[in-house]
Amino acid sequence: MAEITARLSTALADRYRIERRLGEGGMATVYLAEDLKHKRKVAVKVLRPELAAVLGAERFVQEITTTASLQHPNILPLFDSGEADGFLYYVMPYIEGETLREKLNRETQLGIDEAVKIAIEVGEALDAAHQQGVIHRDIKPENVLVHKGRPMVADFGIALAVSAAAGGRMTETGLSLGTPHYMSPEQATAEKDITARSDVYSLGSVLYEMLAGSPPHLGGSAQQIIMKIVTEEAAPVTSMRKSVPPNVAAAVGKALEKLPADRFASAAEFAAALRNPAFESSAVGIATRRATAAPLKRRHLLTAALATTTLLAIAFGLLGWFRSPPEARIIRFEVSLPNLRYAAGKSLTLSPDGRRLVFGSTGPEARGAALWHRELDALEAVMLAGTDGATDPSFSPDGRSVAFATTNLGAAPGPIRIVSLDGGPPATIGTGFPPVDWGEDGYVYFLTGDSPGSDVDRVIVRVPAPTGGQLDTVFRAGSLAPLWIDALPSGRGMVFTLFARADASEINVVDFETGERSSVGPGVYARYAASGHLLIAQGDGSLTALPFDESTLRATGPALPMLEGLWVGPFGDAQFTVSENGTFLYVPGSSWGESIVSVDREGNEEVVDPDWTGVDFRYLALSPDGNRLAVSIFDGEWEDIWITPIDRAQRLKLTFGNGRNTRPVWYPDGQSLLFLSDQGGAGPTGFRAAPQATGPTEPALYRRRANGSGDAEVIRPADQSWASAVLSPDTSWMVVATRSDTDGAGDILGLRLDGDTGVTPLVATPFTESQPALSRDGNWLAYVSNASGRTEVYVVPFPNTGDGRWLVSGEGGQEPLWAHSGEELFYKSAGRLMVADVRTSPSFDVRSERPLFDITAHQSDVVHRRYDITRDDARFIMIRNVPFEREGRNPVLVVNFLEELNAQVNR
C-alpha cells in the first residue's frame, strides 16, 4: 500500500500533494491531499486497480464529466478527474466531519427529527440530480457525509460513469454497483433501465436504518440479502421503533415498495411526505397491511368490526398514498425589527434553514449599534455581545455563527470577526473591509487592499473559518470597484458587483479555476438562490431572477421580473436576503438619497437643506466663519465643487469640466478654495479638458475664488501623486499627503507657499501616512498611519515633526479633526465618532478619550476627511448615506418564495 501511495504522489505531484490515506470503499481508495493551485484541502479518490483495468480512461473521464454539472447545497461537487500513471481518479472537496455510516456505527439509531431532516435534505439533492437525468445508483450511509449537522451526498454519478465506461464488462471486476442492503429490487435483479425511483428505494432503506438501527433486510451473504429484497416485505419501521410518527412510517413504507410504480414518483415527493403530517393516514394503512400479513389462523381471530376498521384504514391509506402532496403556500407578512440600522452592506441576513435572522440595530433603550439575533419563532431579539459597530453580517453554513466586518466602506480596514450564536466573544480571522460572505466551502470572503473609495488596488480574499489563517487571493480587482460578494454553493466561483453608479453597474462572476471574470448582466446586487437563479437587484429597486448554471458560470435564459419597490442603498446594496429553503426577507422602500446633516454631540441630527438630497455628495468643508459650505458632488460621470450658504438654499457651482474636482479646503481668509483636479493642462487662464483618448491625468492642486470670479490657478502641478492637502493658518505651508502608484503607501510632505518651492518630508516612512490635519494654532499635525499594523491617529509637532510623536487612538482611527478650542481632537473608529481630550502645553498629552455617537450611517474615507465642525465645536456637518427619515414599511418575510419563482418560470 505504501508503494502505491508513493507512486500516486509522484503521478499527481504537479497538482496535488498527497498527505495521507483516509480509507477505502467498494470502488475507490480515498486520500487527503492539498490542491496546490488553490491551496485547499481535497479528497482524491482513486479507483481500485482491478476496476481501472477494465475501464477506458478516456471514456471514464468523459462519463464523469457529464455528472460534474450537478450543483446543489447537499451535493458534494466534483472538482477534477483524470488519469495519471494508470490511476483513474476524481477529486472532491474534503469535508471535515464524518460519514453517516460512522455516525450510525457510533450511535446505532438517530433522533427522529435528525434522521428525517437528513433524509429530506438528501432527497432534495437527489431530486435536483434526477431533474438533470442523473441517477446516483449507490445511495448508502457511506456516501452521505455529515458536516455540522448537514448531509452532503458524495460520489454522485460515479457508479453511472463506471458502468458506462465499463461497457457491460462489470463482471470482469468482481464488483457490483450498489450495496446489497440498499439496492432496489430492480437493481438487485440487474434490470437494464434504472430510474429515479431506484434512488428513492435506497434512500428509504437508509432512513429505515437511521430510525430502526438496521437496514430493512439482513442476511448472512449478499445473495441472501438480495433474495429478501426481491421476495420479502420489510417489517414496518414502527415495529422496530414505536415512536416513529405515522407520516414518517407511511413515507418509509411507500419508498420501500417492490414495484417502482408503487413508490414515490420522485425524491421530492418522498421529502414532501416526510414533512407532511397529513400523510399519517397512509401510515395506518401501511402498518395495518404489514401487520395483517400474519398466519391465517391469527387473522381468523379478528372480529368483523376490526376487519371493517382495517379495510377502511387501508382504503384511507391508499387514498393518502396516491394523493399529491399539498402545494407549498406562499405567505407574506411584515416583520417588526425595531431600530433596524442601515450600514453600507447587508443590514440583515437569514440562516440557511430560514429559521434565524441577524440584523443591525441600535436596539431598545439606545443600547448602541450592534448585531441582534432573533429566532423566527420567537418574539424578542437578543443582542450579540461584542458586535458593536458591526456591519455586513453573513451566516455560517450550519447557521450557528455569523461573520461580520467592523468597518464601513470608505473607512480604514478593520478586523473581520466571527461570533457564535451559542455565546462567547467574537474571534478575529482577518483584517479588511466589507463586503463579507461566508461560503458553503467553509471560507469567509472579504475585501482587502485600499478602500473602495480610493484609487489603488482592491483584492477579494478568503480565509478558512472559523479559525482564520493565511489569506488566499481570489480576485485582484485593481482599480475596479468590486462589491457584494456571494460565493456560489458549489465552490466553483463567486458573483459580485462591479459598482459604478446605480444605473451603470454590472454583476460579474469569477471562475476560481481560471481566475477569469465575466459579466452576467446589469445590476447592483446579486444573491444565488437554491432554485438555480441569481436574484439581481437593479438601481431602481426592481428585483429579477436570472436562470444561472453553476457548472458553466453562465446565465441560461432571460431574467424574470419578481418584485418592485425594493430598498437599495447608496452603494447598490439592496436590502434583501434569501435562505436555502426559499424564505425571502426584504426591506421595501423608495430609492436612496444622501443628505447633509448637522449632528450634535449626542447624535441628534437634522437635515441642513431638505431640498438638497438624492445626489452623491463626496467631500465637504465649512468656511472659517461657519456661514458657507463647500461640497463636491459626483453626477455619475464628473465631480464638481459647489458653494452654498449654510442657512439657505442658494448654490453656486464653482468648477466645470470633464474630470474630478474634489476634496475642497478653505483658505484661512475664507475668500478662496484649494482643491484637487485631474482635468490636466490647467493654467492661469482656466481649465482645459484632457483628451478623451488618454483619459484623466494625475491630479494637480488648484485655487479658485469662492465667489466664482476669476480663473482657477495651479498651485502645484501633478509632479507627484497628490492625495489630499490642508493649509496652515498663516498660509505659509501647504501640507500634502501623497500615495504611491505601486503599493499604495504614501507620505506627508510640506510645501512652502511663501517663496520656497522645495518639498519638505514631514512624516515619510515605509508605511502609509495620510489624512493630515493641522491644529487651529498651526503648532500640531495630526495624521493617520498604519505603522502598527492598523490605521491609528498620531500627533507630531509642526513643522518640527521629528521632535516627538504621540498615539491618540486606542483601537484604530481615521479622519482626525481639531476642535477650534485646541483642547479636543476628533476622529472616527469602529463606526463611532470619538473625541480625545488633549493638552498641548507645555507638551502634548492625551488626557482621555470617549465615543460620542454612532456614525455607521454616515460617510467615511481613508484619503480625506468627510466631515467638519462648527465654530462653537457643538455640531458636526456630515454626509448621511440615506435620507434622514427612511421611507418604507417594515421588512417583509415571504415564505416559500422559490415556489413563487418557479411558478413565474412555468408561466
Side-chain angles (χ1 to χ4, degrees):
M1 182 62 68
E3 179 182 349
I4 293 177
T5 302
R7 184 176 143 214
L8 177 67
S9 297
T10 301
L12 298 178
D14 61 330
R15 295 203 59 184
Y16 303 100
R17 183 171 65 245
I18 303 298
E19 295 186 1
R20 69 177 188 274
R21 180 173 172 270
L22 294 175
E24 188 170 355
M27 290 190 293
T29 302
V30 188
Y31 296 87
L32 173 65
E34 181 181 5
D35 183 341
L36 299 177
K37 179 180 179 181
H38 302 100
K39 296 180 175 57
R40 60 186 176 187
K41 300 295 184 183
V42 295
V44 177
K45 298 195 173 186
V46 182
L47 294 188
R48 289 173 55 175
E50 62 269 33
L51 181 58
V54 298
L55 301 181
E58 182 177 349
R59 182 68 188 277
F60 172 73
V61 172
Q62 176 184 345
E63 290 295 334
I64 201 172
T65 300
T66 64
T67 70
S69 62
L70 298 178
Q71 307 294 337
H72 189 275
N74 297 103
I75 294 178
L76 199 66
L78 179 70
F79 281 166
D80 190 14
S81 62
E83 183 273 340
D85 194 18
F87 294 107
L88 293 183
Y89 69 93
Y90 55 101
V91 183
M92 292 183 167
Y94 172 65
I95 303 298
E96 293 186 354
E98 61 183 353
T99 66
L100 182 56
R101 166 56 59 216
E102 292 168 332
K103 185 176 179 68
L104 286 171
N105 287 345
R106 187 179 69 254
E107 301 180 17
T108 305
Q109 293 169 283
L110 304 187
I112 292 174
D113 289 344
E114 182 182 17
V116 170
K117 177 180 180 292
I118 289 174
I120 288 173
E121 294 185 22
V122 171
E124 291 171 344
L126 288 172
D127 187 66
H130 294 162
Q131 291 183 33
Q132 297 190 41
V134 180
I135 313 301
H136 192 290
R137 297 174 177 239
D138 196 17
I139 290 295
K140 57 186 178 183
E142 289 81 354
N143 279 338
V144 178
L145 289 87
V146 181
H147 177 61
K148 296 182 178 180
R150 178 179 182 177
M152 300 189 73
V153 184
D155 287 5
F156 224 115
I158 303 303
L160 177 61
V162 170
S163 178
R169 294 175 289 144
M170 283 304 298
T171 55
E172 299 178 36
T173 68
L175 299 173
S176 61
L177 296 180
T179 303
H181 292 99
Y182 312 98
M183 277 187 179
S184 65
E186 59 268 32
Q187 260 189 300
T189 55
E191 290 186 17
K192 183 177 180 180
D193 296 325
I194 301 297
T195 69
R197 297 179 193 242
S198 175
D199 281 351
V200 170
Y201 184 99
S202 299
L203 179 57
S205 299
V206 171
L207 176 55
Y208 189 105
E209 181 174 358
M210 287 191 287
L211 295 170
S214 62
H217 299 286
L218 299 173
S221 66
Q223 291 80 4
Q224 289 179 358
I225 296 170
I226 289 174
M227 183 62 67
K228 290 183 178 181
I229 288 173
V230 174
T231 62
E232 293 184 8
E233 298 281 358
V237 70
T238 49
S239 68
M240 311 288 287
R241 189 172 181 179
K242 295 181 180 179
S243 58
V244 175
N247 68 304
V248 174
V252 171
K254 184 164 184 173
L256 295 178
E257 287 288 357
K258 302 296 182 190
L259 292 176
D262 290 339
R263 297 178 210 141
F264 295 101
S266 69
E269 288 189 12
F270 186 14
L274 292 173
R275 289 191 181 99
N276 180 17
F279 213 75
E280 64 183 16
S281 60
S282 59
V284 175
I286 272 194
T288 306
R289 179 161 57 89
R290 300 285 194 256
T292 54
L296 185 61
K297 179 178 179 181
R298 180 183 174 188
R299 288 203 297 267
H300 285 167
L301 298 177
L302 297 176
T303 63
L306 181 57
T308 302
T309 303
T310 301
L311 290 173
L312 287 173
I314 292 174
F316 282 114
L318 290 172
L319 179 63
W321 289 344
F322 293 103
R323 183 176 58 200
S324 299
E327 293 185 2
R329 294 185 61 192
I330 300 166
I331 304 172
R332 285 181 177 81
F333 54 91
E334 291 189 5
V335 178
S336 177
L337 300 179
N339 304 306
L340 177 65
R341 175 176 59 92
Y342 169 80
K346 297 187 295 290
S347 292
L348 38 74
T349 183
L350 283 168
S351 61
D353 61 9
R355 297 179 180 179
R356 302 172 191 87
L357 168 65
V358 166
F359 60 99
S361 173
T362 55
E365 301 176 3
R367 292 180 59 183
L371 295 180
W372 291 70
H373 164 229
R374 175 181 165 184
E375 299 280 344
L376 288 185
D377 61 356
L379 296 177
E380 301 294 334
V382 178
M383 188 176 74
L384 297 176
T387 62
D388 294 352
T391 183
D392 213 46
S394 181
F395 264 104
S396 60
D398 66 359
R400 298 307 311 170
S401 300
V402 173
F404 60 91
T406 58
T407 187
N408 291 328
L409 289 171
I416 305 297
R417 290 177 172 150
I418 289 177
V419 63
S420 171
L421 301 188
D422 297 323
T428 298
I429 61 170
T431 300
F433 309 95
V436 175
D437 185 63
W438 197 330
E440 295 285 346
D441 57 5
Y443 287 93
V444 172
Y445 294 76
F446 55 93
L447 194 66
T448 64
D450 239 19
S451 154
S454 64
D455 304 320
V456 296
D457 200 21
R458 297 120 181 169
V459 182
I460 298 175
V461 299
R462 65 182 181 183
V463 64
T467 57
Q470 184 174 356
L471 297 182
D472 178 22
T473 296
V474 173
F475 177 65
R476 190 171 293 278
S479 61
L480 301 174
L483 292 176
W484 319 135
I485 300 164
D486 189 25
L488 296 170
S490 65
R492 169 75 187 277
M494 68 178 177
V495 294
F496 66 91
T497 304
L498 276 185
F499 186 74
R501 58 180 190 268
D503 60 346
S505 297
E506 64 177 26
I507 305 302
N508 275 237
V509 59
V510 167
D511 188 333
F512 290 163
E513 294 286 337
T514 65
E516 295 180 355
R517 172 181 64 88
S518 57
S519 174
V520 173
V524 296
Y525 192 89
R527 282 291 175 267
Y528 182 79
S531 59
H533 295 81
L534 290 180
L535 300 179
I536 300 178
Q538 304 296 330
D540 62 1
S542 62
L543 183 74
T544 59
L546 180 71
F548 186 77
D549 185 349
E550 276 196 283
S551 64
T552 62
L553 302 180
R554 294 289 185 271
T556 59
L560 303 169
M562 294 305 299
L563 60 84
E564 303 285 340
L566 178 67
W567 196 86
V568 178
F571 298 100
D573 38 333
Q575 298 302 308
F576 75 85
T577 176
V578 61
S579 68
E580 289 180 7
N581 68 347
T583 302
F584 182 76
L585 181 68
Y586 72 98
V587 179
S590 59
S591 60
W592 67 274
E594 296 174 1
S595 301
I596 297 177
V597 293
S598 173
V599 192
D600 67 19
R601 287 179 175 243
E602 284 70 45
N604 303 306
E605 63 183 50
E606 58 185 31
V607 177
V608 171
D609 184 351
D611 295 326
W612 209 14
T613 60
V615 296
D616 190 352
F617 299 109
R618 290 300 173 94
Y619 298 95
L620 59 77
L622 268 176
S623 61
D625 61 8
N627 295 328
R628 289 169 296 166
L629 186 66
V631 184
S632 68
I633 297 175
F634 184 64
D635 66 3
E637 189 171 10
W638 314 120
E639 186 176 351
D640 280 302
I641 296 173
W642 295 69
I643 306 292
T644 181
I646 198 71
D647 58 351
R648 62 185 186 276
Q650 181 181 351
R651 306 178 195 113
L652 168 69
K653 189 174 184 182
L654 192 68
T655 64
F656 303 85
N658 301 327
R660 293 189 63 189
N661 304 287
T662 186
R663 299 166 194 163
V665 173
W666 288 90
Y667 274 76
D669 61 5
Q671 299 302 306
S672 302
L673 280 168
L674 177 73
F675 60 96
L676 283 167
S677 177
D678 63 2
Q679 294 186 72
T685 58
F687 290 113
R688 175 165 52 84
Q692 290 297 319
T694 61
T697 64
E698 284 288 344
L701 288 158
Y702 295 87
R703 174 179 180 170
R704 192 170 192 193
R705 294 182 65 82
N707 62 8
S709 64
D711 296 317
E713 59 178 316
V714 176
I715 301 301
R716 186 77 186 192
D719 54 349
Q720 295 202 45
S721 297
W722 309 123
S724 65
V726 295
L727 295 161
S728 64
D730 62 1
T731 67
S732 62
W733 286 89
M734 181 165 61
V735 179
V736 185
T738 67
R739 64 174 178 82
S740 167
D741 291 330
T742 56
D743 59 9
D747 297 320
I748 296 177
L749 309 177
L751 307 179
R752 295 302 300 258
L753 299 179
D754 55 2
D756 182 359
T757 60
V759 176
T760 302
L762 296 175
V763 188
T765 74
F767 304 102
T768 298
E769 288 85 33
S770 62
Q771 299 185 317
L774 283 169
S775 60
R776 307 293 172 167
D777 60 9
N779 294 328
W780 302 94
L781 172 65
Y783 66 96
V784 172
S785 174
N786 64 353
S788 67
R790 65 180 176 186
T791 55
E792 300 280 8
V793 175
Y794 296 87
V795 167
V796 293
F798 181 80
N800 301 317
T801 55
D803 291 350
R805 188 180 76 153
W806 293 266
L807 174 65
V808 177
S809 56
E811 297 181 354
Q814 66 185 77
E815 297 185 64
L817 170 65
W818 291 90
H820 290 82
S821 67
E823 298 177 352
E824 293 176 314
L825 181 62
F826 306 97
Y827 64 93
K828 296 179 180 179
S829 176
R832 297 171 297 179
L833 184 66
M834 306 289 294
V835 58
D837 295 314
V838 300
R839 180 177 60 189
T840 58
S841 179
S843 179
F844 185 85
D845 181 45
V846 179
R847 296 177 173 180
S848 64
E849 57 179 341
R850 66 186 186 281
L852 290 180
F853 52 84
D854 180 83
I855 56 169
T856 52
H858 303 83
Q859 289 193 6
S860 297
D861 196 67
V862 295
V863 180
H864 187 71
R865 179 167 43 83
R866 287 195 176 184
Y867 71 112
D868 212 332
I869 191 168
T870 56
R871 287 179 58 84
D872 59 3
D873 295 332
R875 302 188 71 88
F876 302 89
I877 307 301
M878 313 183 86
I879 302 171
R880 205 176 201 278
N881 283 335
V882 293
F884 179 54
E885 295 293 338
R886 179 177 60 83
E887 299 178 8
R889 308 187 306 273
N890 286 326
V892 176
L893 189 74
V894 184
V895 180
N896 296 318
F897 177 77
L898 297 186
E899 296 294 330
E900 182 174 11
L901 194 159
N902 290 328
Q904 183 81 345
V905 170
N906 296 324
R907 284 182 182 175

